[in-house]
Amino acid sequence: MKQNEKTTRILSVILLILSAALMLGVKLVFHACGAKEDGSWMTCHWAENAVCASGAVMTVISVIALCLKGRARAGAAFSLVPAAVVTALLPQVCIRMCMMNDMRCHAMMRPAVILLCAVIGVLAAVTGVMANREEG
Amino acid sequence: MRRLAVQNLTGKPVRTAVLTVLAALLALAVFGGSLIVTSLRTGLHSLEDRLGADIMVVPYEATTKTNLEAIVLQGATGYFYMDNARAEKVLAREGIGQASEQFFLASASTGCCSLSVQIIGFDPQTDFSITPWIRRSFGGELQKYDVVVGNDLNAFVGDTLQFYGTEVHVAAKLAKTGTAYDTAVFTGEDTIKALIASSVERGMNQFTVDPDKVVSCILINAADGYTPEEVVNDINIHVKKVKAIQTKEMISGISDSLSGVRDVIGVLMAAVWVLGLAILLLAFTMSVNERRKEFAVLRVIGASRGMLAGLVLREALLTGVCGGMLGGVIGLAVIVPFNRAIEEQLGLPFLLPGAGTVIGYFAAAVILTALAGAAAAGIAALRISRMDTGLILRGDN
Amino acid sequence: MLEAQGIRKEFIRQGKGTNRLVAVQDTDLTLGAGELTVLMGRSGSGKSTLLNMLAGLLAPTAGRILLDGEDLYAMEDRALSRLRNARIGVIPQGQTALHSLTVLENVLLPVRMYDPKADAAPEALALLERLGIAELQQDKPAALSGGELRRMAIARAVIRRPQIILADEPTGDLDDENTAIVFDFLRESARNGAAVLVVTHEGDAVQYADRIFRMNAGVLTAS
């Protein structure tokens, strides 16, 4: 069981890194389209902000998962799964994005967000199941 | 013996992880490389299909100020017009088979999230290039104020769009082509004339034209017995202020870049493979040398030479299959979601092949990587099966 | 049972000229069922070479080795390997554990090699018990001491109840207690009907032996 605790701890660290990558990356790396010439923002900018906020929440949950053990860690990890699903749906489904799909928000931000959220969701589920089997 | 191969691999997790990652790299190179090259080729075919005509005739200024090629190939927006009288002169020339007129307009980039969109109107009576394409996703007739949108436009069937204050209704969304046409809007002649009229009324059109008296572009297929080249030359010599362009020549620039990209990808793939195979060869040989004593022990307890070779090959195959799958999955996770970003980067038509082809490439990449692993381990397997057990045990002390 | 007829082994030395080293001179030797034979001699005298030839692991330069009348080195590698697996138990020199397997898996490997479904665990456990390392069965070899590893190798060599047991320095670098355990065990195997050959330079071996040979510079003499 000690081995198991070690594995879920490592998984929690990975979840933390990925959540932080989502929160920061959506602003810095795979950000949405920039401001228009007149300085106004297109809607994808608000999707970007929403993903960033959601990523911040997921980062906090990951920290909590890392600090806890056993069932408590499992609970925190499981709560990341719906959070990841919702975050993946923010761009375009919840907040409709720009007119053309070859624009940056469609070509870079959305796939990157979906990919990260998919990995986080699957890893979180695995972490939850494994941590749930731990004693205590 | 079968489990022994697995246990040998899990017993040395770091070594196994490194070799698996290396195998994943090989698979990623061959899978990603071939998928990108195929997508470019599919994109080029798709572009040829979409242009759908031998010749395009445009007003002369369309080759200087507002570039036709930029609109058709790079997805820029623009419009230009020539008088009906001039169009009649073109259509009166010899050697013209099918011909159809098109009307261009670009929407203004007003509103929250719209960039300027290219609007292309066609004459449903004569059209031969756009209708067959629309037929694939829309069976009905286009009514006035109905439009069909390209696949990359963030608009859906039933949506209402506004161009120059005129509302139009999205009747269909086209299949993806991987070309600049994916971000265009198509509509019938009567609708686009109404849109051009409103743009002129609002003073937002850079030309002051009567939409009933102009066309933007004429698509022509050469008649039997004439080559497109002859027709192009004839028009360019005899009709003033227009330019006839052979579509094949327009595309030739793209197919040149495509073969350039293909060469670069080919060289990269070859480099990754040569390096990867060399490292795998070295790693397997070293790993077997390190374990000579263990193999000798297996001989002592009754393993045949063939079984030792099989053990080494099985370890390599397992590594290759796992690494190959990993590389393939990474390739899929990067290329499929980010295919639009790749298209933007390359600036070439890019259309992913169908799911069946992608799965085929995936399987081929995994099999090729597994075989490469087995081949790299082959020399080690041969050596270990030929070793003299007695000498290894004797040489121990 | 196992009969060596005029076997001889030459090695060609690396280096200048065609310098042949005769490791084992023409030798006749018969190992009978139920007998424990001890072969003594200095290191380098050719004892291990003789043992490896008897085990079917090293082809002699001349002569034949017959097991129940069948010439070992006239057989295909596959058939010879199978025969060695079933009928000859070899305890090699030095450390011979497979490091990716547990102690129990090491011992069971000869059984599973040709019959993956065979369940010989109870027998293996009884052997480990008899040799005093039963509590180590789930450990990896890296956790074992030299004496424990040697006892594991012995269990592995006899798990298939071979008719012939060939032990090469089975008590080298072992303490007195371990040495006694090993010799007792080999003696018992002979009593149960196996033909046992022990190559050693341990003087204590004499008290367990039915027959004693000495080897000197490749020449075998009875004593």
Side-chain angles (χ1 to χ4, degrees):
Chain A
M1 280 303 131
K2 249 188 178 170
Q3 189 67 36
N4 207 345
E5 201 277 329
K6 203 176 155 193
T7 314
T8 57
R9 188 163 6 124
I10 293 171
L11 283 170
S12 303
V13 172
I14 296 175
L15 284 174
L16 174 58
I17 293 170
L18 290 174
S19 302
L22 181 65
M23 172 180 70
L24 300 175
V26 77
K27 278 287 173 196
L28 302 174
V29 186
F30 41 89
H31 56 80
C33 317
K36 292 205 292 185
E37 279 168 24
D38 60 8
S40 65
W41 293 103
M42 295 184 267
T43 43
C44 59
H45 179 69
W46 314 119
E48 175 188 304
N49 282 353
V51 170
C52 181
S54 186
V57 172
M58 287 161 72
T59 308
V60 173
I61 297 176
S62 305
V63 172
I64 295 171
L66 185 59
C67 297
L68 298 174
K69 263 188 188 176
R71 290 252 163 111
R73 173 177 288 170
F78 278 131
S79 73
L80 273 178
V81 177
V85 171
V86 167
T87 310
L89 294 178
L90 283 178
Q92 180 69 0
V93 179
C94 296
I95 302 172
R96 197 148 155 191
M97 298 198 297
C98 293
M99 191 64 194
M100 283 184 218
N101 288 1
D102 57 358
M103 290 167 72
R104 194 178 160 86
C105 55
H106 289 282
M108 278 302 292
M109 182 176 89
R110 189 168 180 226
V113 168
I114 290 176
L115 202 64
L116 265 177
C117 285
V119 175
I120 291 175
V122 171
L123 278 187
V126 170
T127 312
V129 170
M130 284 183 72
N132 201 23
R133 283 201 210 126
E134 281 173 33
E135 268 148 45
Chain B
M1 288 301 270
R2 225 162 260 176
R3 280 185 52 212
L4 185 56
V6 178
Q7 279 166 314
N8 281 341
L9 291 176
T10 49
K12 291 244 178 191
V14 176
R15 194 185 74 94
T16 306
V18 170
L19 290 184
T20 307
V21 167
L22 198 63
L25 211 62
L26 294 188
L28 180 60
V30 68
F31 177 65
S34 52
L35 193 57
I36 288 176
V37 169
T38 306
S39 299
L40 289 172
R41 205 175 295 144
T42 321
L44 183 66
H45 285 312
S46 165
L47 176 63
E48 283 168 352
D49 278 359
R50 284 296 40 87
L51 288 176
D54 296 340
I55 300 159
M56 297 176 98
V57 182
V58 292
Y60 197 80
E61 72 218 42
T63 59
T64 52
K65 271 192 280 175
T66 318
N67 198 324
L68 173 72
E69 289 190 25
I71 295 173
V72 174
L73 304 180
Q74 277 124 45
T77 54
Y79 46 93
F80 34 74
Y81 303 103
M82 56 183 158
D83 292 344
N84 278 341
R86 205 164 299 285
E88 295 300 326
K89 274 186 192 165
V90 171
L91 292 174
R93 299 306 308 173
E94 269 182 31
I96 290 174
Q98 286 173 300
S100 180
E101 293 164 342
Q102 290 193 343
F103 309 85
F104 290 0
L105 183 64
S107 75
S109 58
T110 52
C112 83
C113 24
S114 65
L115 281 183
S116 178
V117 174
Q118 183 71 26
I119 309 170
I120 298 175
F122 57 92
D123 174 3
Q125 308 298 316
T126 57
D127 177 68
F128 56 90
S129 77
I130 292 170
T131 309
W133 177 30
I134 293 179
R135 280 278 164 270
R136 274 188 251 157
S137 38
F138 181 59
E141 289 293 316
L142 283 183
Q143 306 300 319
K144 194 166 181 187
Y145 299 118
D146 273 356
V147 298
V148 176
V149 296
N151 194 269
D152 276 351
L153 278 181
N154 197 10
F156 302 92
V157 175
D159 284 2
T160 300
L161 303 177
Q162 248 194 20
F163 296 121
Y164 299 107
T166 306
E167 287 196 343
V168 293
H169 171 251
V170 177
K173 190 159 187 170
L174 294 164
K176 189 160 170 63
T177 66
T179 68
Y181 284 130
D182 283 343
T183 54
V185 170
F186 299 87
T187 187
E189 188 177 355
D190 45 358
T191 310
I192 193 142
K193 282 187 171 163
L195 294 178
I196 295 173
S198 6
S199 73
V200 174
E201 266 168 40
R202 293 177 171 235
M204 291 169 86
N205 196 309
Q206 47 181 304
F207 306 104
T208 322
V209 291
D210 177 351
D212 286 323
K213 289 182 181 160
V214 293
V215 302
S216 294
C217 160
I218 308 167
L219 299 190
I220 295 170
N221 273 340
D224 288 345
Y226 294 87
T227 64
E229 212 173 348
E230 287 167 353
V231 179
V232 163
N233 288 339
D234 182 64
I235 294 170
N236 283 339
I237 291 166
H238 293 103
V239 187
K240 279 179 197 158
K241 289 192 178 172
V242 301
K243 175 80 176 169
I245 303 163
Q246 240 185 296
T247 50
K248 215 203 285 171
E249 275 171 20
M250 250 164 45
I251 297 181
S252 75
I254 288 193
S255 49
D256 286 352
S257 332
L258 191 150
S259 57
V261 171
R262 192 175 48 209
D263 290 350
V264 170
I265 289 178
V267 169
L268 280 179
M269 266 163 69
V272 169
W273 270 73
V274 168
L275 208 69
L277 274 183
I279 298 175
L280 278 180
L281 189 73
L282 204 69
F284 282 123
T285 310
M286 272 167 59
S287 133
V288 165
N289 272 347
E290 217 171 76
R291 291 184 290 156
R292 271 158 58 99
K293 183 79 186 258
E294 290 205 358
F295 285 107
V297 170
L298 285 172
R299 288 284 284 158
V300 162
I301 62 179
S304 65
R305 294 176 187 281
M307 285 166 84
L308 294 193
L311 179 65
V312 174
L313 288 180
R314 194 169 289 128
E315 285 180 20
L317 270 176
L318 275 172
T319 312
V321 168
C322 293
M325 301 273 244
L326 181 68
V329 167
I330 293 174
L332 279 180
V334 172
I335 294 173
V336 174
F338 291 101
N339 74 80
R340 291 198 180 96
I342 296 172
E343 181 181 347
E344 289 290 292
Q345 281 297 312
L346 292 173
L348 290 171
F350 189 92
L351 185 61
L352 283 175
T357 314
V358 175
I359 291 169
Y361 279 12
F362 184 95
V366 173
I367 292 170
L368 202 64
T369 308
L371 288 181
I379 294 172
L382 198 68
R383 276 180 49 177
I384 209 67
S385 71
R386 284 197 183 153
M387 75 172 179
D388 205 324
T389 313
L391 290 180
I392 289 174
L393 292 175
R394 186 175 158 275
D396 193 54
N397 46 353
Chain C
M1 189 188 252
L2 186 68
E3 195 182 356
Q5 296 179 339
I7 56 169
R8 170 186 180 84
K9 184 70 190 177
E10 294 172 1
F11 292 108
I12 295 173
R13 271 189 193 152
Q14 302 287 324
K16 42 195 168 174
T18 48
N19 200 347
R20 278 164 191 267
L21 169 76
V22 181
V24 176
Q25 301 282 3
D26 295 3
T27 302
D28 295 318
L29 178 67
T30 305
L31 301 179
E35 263 186 348
L36 192 148
T37 308
V38 169
L39 173 55
M40 306 191 66
R42 290 207 197 97
S43 71
S45 59
K47 309 184 300 277
S48 294
T49 304
L50 178 61
L51 183 135
N52 284 333
M53 287 193 288
L54 292 173
L57 291 168
L58 187 64
T61 314
R64 298 194 300 169
I65 292 160
L66 306 176
L67 179 59
D68 290 340
E70 202 174 358
D71 185 351
L72 291 188
Y73 291 97
M75 298 169 79
E76 292 274 325
D77 174 65
R78 193 188 291 242
L80 174 57
S81 298
R82 226 176 154 146
L83 177 144
R84 183 164 54 244
N85 175 265
R87 296 173 68 185
I88 306 178
V90 182
I91 303 158
Q93 269 183 30
Q95 305 307 347
T96 57
L98 296 169
H99 292 279
S100 56
L101 302 182
T102 64
V103 169
L104 184 63
E105 286 167 338
N106 260 286
V107 173
L108 285 172
L109 190 58
V111 180
R112 288 183 178 160
M113 187 170 274
Y114 288 99
D115 185 2
K117 284 183 200 136
D119 181 24
E123 282 166 82
L125 283 174
L127 270 174
L128 292 174
E129 195 79 49
R130 168 76 181 76
L131 288 161
I133 48 171
E135 71 280 10
L136 302 171
Q137 51 162 308
Q138 293 305 333
D139 288 348
K140 286 282 168 74
L144 271 62
S145 72
E148 288 160 347
L149 283 173
R150 189 63 52 82
R151 282 183 269 166
M152 182 194 84
I154 293 169
R156 190 175 60 198
V158 301
I159 181 76
R160 297 215 57 187
R161 300 178 186 281
Q163 294 161 288
I164 297 162
I165 298 170
L166 305 171
D168 196 353
E169 302 280 9
T171 59
D173 65 43
L174 292 195
D175 59 26
D176 289 350
E177 195 195 340
N178 274 309
T179 304
I181 293 174
V182 169
F183 275 118
D184 278 338
F185 185 83
L186 292 173
R187 180 66 255 180
E188 189 186 306
S189 301
R191 202 176 302 129
N192 292 338
V196 183
L197 173 70
V198 182
V199 167
T200 184
H201 53 256
E202 196 83 46
D204 292 356
V206 175
Q207 62 190 87
Y208 298 92
D210 295 313
R211 292 191 300 162
I212 299 166
F213 289 90
R214 287 189 188 281
M215 195 134 196
N216 196 0
V219 181
L220 187 72
T221 48
S223 78

